[in-house]
């Protein structure tokens, strides 16, 4: 980001997109804190929580690719506005859950509503920044993930404890309402603030817009763009993606990494509640520690990845380190502070893979294929958001010990690191299809 115009764009866009993702992620995972109080509800159980936490990702999976293709056609400003408003309203409506069926329904619809936000932002960033800058830019944006969990945990725990004195609704219902409504309101800010691209950015001078567009044009000429790609039908785009082994390989890597991330994200409040025996506020404060560490690691790893231009080992090494942290965190000889250290290492390892990871797909995806490809990799990988929490809960259901579940997560994250290190390298050396 050497040019002043690029730095100016980053300063105007990244903090705002970062803030949107913080709001989104809090609404996505606050069900883990709601569970602390929902255990008193007659129709609720650990098994229902595990299924409901994960069913979000089925709606997410089904609508991610169509959502990103629509964003490319109608523009980021309008489509991200729609996403923000609908997911905020549905998140608040989670308070209306009064049976297993309604709980599942609202979680599924939340996934439908949010589908396309994350890959849409990744696509949007390609309108502004070159590939040499994207690991840092993506990592800065995605630290919102860690920040949401750092501050969202204490906030959710505090709301649960304070809402016990509020009338009309149960604490878990107040949690969904108070954390959902802001997203819907901020959607209208998106409509006023976010430009569709450099051409629409009134805060850039004509010369600054030309600089940003010229840098991207030169990059496209250097790496090539297939002819008539913009005229491709959506079905043809998907068929091309499905035939590319690199797309499936990165889907697999992401699935394995996300399995560990969401497995720990959804169950961490219960894990720390069991370890500490504290109230909801204390549990929220404890959950902030691993995610704060993860945020620092994300930026540092992405910066070094961009500086060196290396991606695979910046994914593999942190993943392997993170898996070791997970495996050690639940050992019986670990005191609470030792488990927190290990969980912090685990979170730092897993989350710091994200910046370098999302810098890779745009290296072999072009034009319309970027929109569909990013959404497809994200949607397939995020199916682990169902599998991780579900299997974590199923393994734990056989006893009160969290260790077997943590070892399960560690094995998946380790496999993701090894796959990124060795299998993707062979695929890069011997690709079976040309760039799409």
């Amino acid at each position: 980001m050497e040019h002043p115009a690029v730095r100016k764009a980053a300063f105007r866009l990244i903090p705002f997109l970062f803030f949107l993702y913080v709001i989104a992620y809090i609404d996505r995972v606050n069900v883990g804190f709601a569970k602390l109080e929902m255990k008193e509800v007659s129709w609720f159980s650990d098994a229902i929580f595990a299924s409901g936490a994960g069913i979000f990702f089925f709606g997410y999976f089904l609508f991610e690719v169509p959502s990103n293709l629509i964003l490319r056609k109608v523009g980021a400003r309008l489509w991200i506005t729609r996403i923000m408003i609908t997911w905020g309203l549905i998140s608040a409506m989670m308070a209306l859950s009064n049976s297993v069926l309604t709980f599942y329904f609202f979680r599924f619809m939340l996934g439908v509503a949010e589908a396309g936000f994350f890959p849409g932002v990744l696509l949007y960033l390609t309108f502004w920044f070159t590939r040499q800058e994207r690991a840092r830019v993506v990592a800065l944006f995605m630290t919102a993930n860690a920040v949401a969990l750092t501050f969202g945990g204490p906030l959710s725990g505090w709301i649960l404890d304070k809402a016990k004195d509020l009338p009309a609704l149960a604490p878990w219902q107040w949690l969904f309402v108070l954390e959902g409504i802001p997203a819907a309101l901020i959607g209208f800010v998106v409509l006023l603030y976010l430009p569709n691209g450099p051409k629409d950015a009134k805060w850039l001078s004509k010369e600054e817009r030309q600089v940003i567009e010229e840098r991207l044009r030169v990059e496209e000429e250097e790496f090539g763009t297939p002819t008539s790609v913009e005229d491709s039908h959506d079905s043809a785009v998907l068929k091309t993606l499905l035939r590319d082994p690199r797309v499936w390989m990165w889907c697999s890597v992401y699935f394995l990494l996300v399995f560990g991330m969401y497995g720990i994200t959804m169950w961490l409040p219960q894990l720390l509640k069991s370890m500490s025996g504290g109230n909801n506020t204390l549990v929220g404060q404890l959950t902030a520690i691993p995610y704060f560490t993860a945020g620092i690691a994300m930026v540092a790893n992405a910066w070094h990845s961009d500086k060196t231009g290396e991606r695979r080992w910046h994914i593999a090494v942190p993943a392997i380190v993170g898996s070791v942290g997970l495996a050690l965190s639940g050992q019986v000889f670990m005191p609470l502070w030792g488990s927190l250290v290990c969980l912090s290492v685990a979170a730092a390892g897993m989350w710091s893979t994200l910046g370098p990871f999302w810098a890779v797909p745009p290296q072999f995806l072009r034009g319309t294929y970027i929109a569909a490809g990013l959404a497809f990799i994200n949607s397939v990988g995020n199916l682990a958001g169902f599998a991780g929490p579900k299997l974590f809960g199923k393994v734990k259901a056989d006893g009160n010990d969290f260790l077997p579940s943590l070892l399960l997560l560690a094995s998946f994250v380790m496999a993701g690191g090894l796959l990124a290190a060795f299998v993707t390298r062979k695929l890069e050396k011997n690709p079976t299809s040309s760039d799409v």
Side-chain angles (χ1 to χ4, degrees):
M1 287 181 264
E2 296 82 3
H3 198 281
V6 181
R7 290 197 296 271
K8 184 176 182 179
F11 180 78
R12 289 295 295 257
L13 296 174
I14 300 303
F16 184 65
L17 295 171
F18 172 96
F19 178 67
L20 298 184
Y21 196 33
V22 168
I23 300 298
Y25 212 82
I26 288 176
D27 286 346
R28 183 188 298 187
V29 302
N30 61 6
V31 68
F33 275 91
K35 180 185 181 296
L36 296 175
E37 291 294 327
M38 291 182 76
K39 64 180 183 292
E40 306 298 332
V41 178
S42 60
W43 51 264
F44 196 76
S45 68
D46 279 0
I48 292 168
F49 163 73
S51 296
I55 204 170
F56 166 95
F57 295 97
F58 283 107
Y60 201 74
F61 170 77
L62 293 173
F63 289 90
E64 275 241 299
V65 173
S67 179
N68 230 29
L69 292 173
I70 293 173
L71 182 148
R72 190 174 183 87
K73 293 175 181 177
V74 306
R77 182 173 65 93
L78 181 62
W79 198 241
I80 292 178
T81 295
R82 192 284 304 165
I83 292 173
M84 291 288 299
I85 294 173
T86 53
W87 104 49
L89 292 176
I90 294 173
S91 181
M93 290 172 68
M94 284 288 299
L96 300 177
S97 301
N98 58 10
S99 66
V100 176
L101 184 61
T102 55
F103 179 66
Y104 287 169
F105 173 76
F106 286 127
R107 282 295 293 177
F108 177 82
M109 291 306 299
L110 186 64
V112 172
E114 192 185 329
F117 174 77
F118 174 70
V121 171
L122 293 184
L123 172 64
Y124 183 69
L125 294 175
T126 68
F127 302 163
W128 297 83
F129 305 102
T130 63
R131 64 179 61 201
Q132 288 80 11
E133 300 153 350
R134 284 178 197 151
R136 279 171 292 172
V137 169
V138 170
L140 287 171
F141 163 62
M142 290 194 71
T143 50
N145 180 311
V147 168
L149 294 166
T150 299
F151 294 100
L155 175 64
S156 296
W158 180 82
I159 289 175
L160 286 176
D161 282 338
K162 295 300 181 182
K164 292 176 181 178
D165 300 324
L166 296 179
L169 300 175
W172 63 269
Q173 292 174 306
W174 278 114
L175 177 69
F176 287 129
V177 171
L178 294 176
E179 292 187 346
I181 293 301
L185 297 177
I186 292 166
F188 295 99
V189 179
V190 176
L191 193 62
L192 298 174
Y193 184 87
L194 195 69
N196 283 321
K199 289 182 180 179
D200 302 317
K202 296 180 180 179
W203 37 266
L204 288 175
S205 67
K206 180 179 178 180
E207 293 74 17
E208 289 171 332
R209 287 194 291 269
Q210 289 175 341
V211 166
I212 292 174
E213 291 171 350
E214 179 65 15
R215 295 169 82 248
L216 295 172
R217 186 191 65 78
V218 170
E219 181 178 79
E220 284 296 332
E221 287 185 352
E222 179 182 355
F223 293 99
T225 302
T227 58
S228 72
V229 70
E230 299 298 337
D231 299 324
S232 300
H233 295 293
D234 292 350
S235 59
V237 170
L238 288 175
K239 287 179 181 178
T240 302
L241 289 172
L242 293 175
R243 289 195 298 265
D244 193 325
R246 292 167 300 182
V247 171
W248 285 107
M249 186 57 62
W250 288 106
C251 283
S252 300
V253 172
Y254 197 50
F255 181 94
L256 293 167
L257 296 176
V258 169
F259 189 99
M261 291 179 196
Y262 276 111
I264 199 65
T265 297
M266 294 299 184
W267 283 94
L268 187 60
Q270 286 74 46
L271 174 62
L272 292 178
K273 182 85 169 180
S274 173
M275 289 179 173
S276 69
N279 60 20
N280 296 328
T281 301
L282 175 63
V283 170
Q285 292 168 348
L286 292 177
T287 62
I289 297 172
Y291 299 124
F292 177 77
T293 308
I296 296 173
M298 285 178 73
V299 175
N301 192 48
W303 176 83
H304 192 263
S305 178
D306 271 353
K307 182 180 179 181
T308 61
E310 200 284 325
R311 305 301 186 195
R312 285 188 306 106
W313 289 107
H314 283 81
I315 301 168
V317 172
I320 293 169
V321 171
S323 71
V324 174
L326 278 174
L328 291 175
S329 63
Q331 298 294 330
V332 293
F333 57 80
M334 280 289 179
L336 176 61
W337 67 266
S339 293
L340 276 173
V341 169
C342 291
L343 287 168
S344 297
V345 170
M350 290 187 291
W351 267 264
S352 65
T353 64
L354 295 175
F357 178 92
W358 285 112
V360 174
Q363 293 179 3
F364 60 87
L365 296 171
R366 303 283 186 270
T368 301
Y369 297 114
I370 295 180
L374 292 175
F376 184 74
I377 292 171
N378 190 56
S379 61
V380 172
N382 268 292
L383 286 176
F386 174 81
K390 181 71 173 178
L391 290 179
F392 188 106
K394 186 174 180 60
V395 172
K396 181 189 174 295
D398 295 333
N400 295 321
D401 188 4
F402 281 93
L403 179 59
S405 297
L406 290 168
L407 292 177
L408 172 71
L409 299 186
S411 67
F412 273 75
V413 176
M414 175 71 76
L418 295 175
L419 191 65
F422 300 110
V423 180
T424 57
R425 181 188 179 195
K426 293 180 180 179
L427 198 58
E428 289 170 0
K429 287 185 174 180
N430 301 290
T432 58
S433 62
S434 57
D435 285 357
V436 295

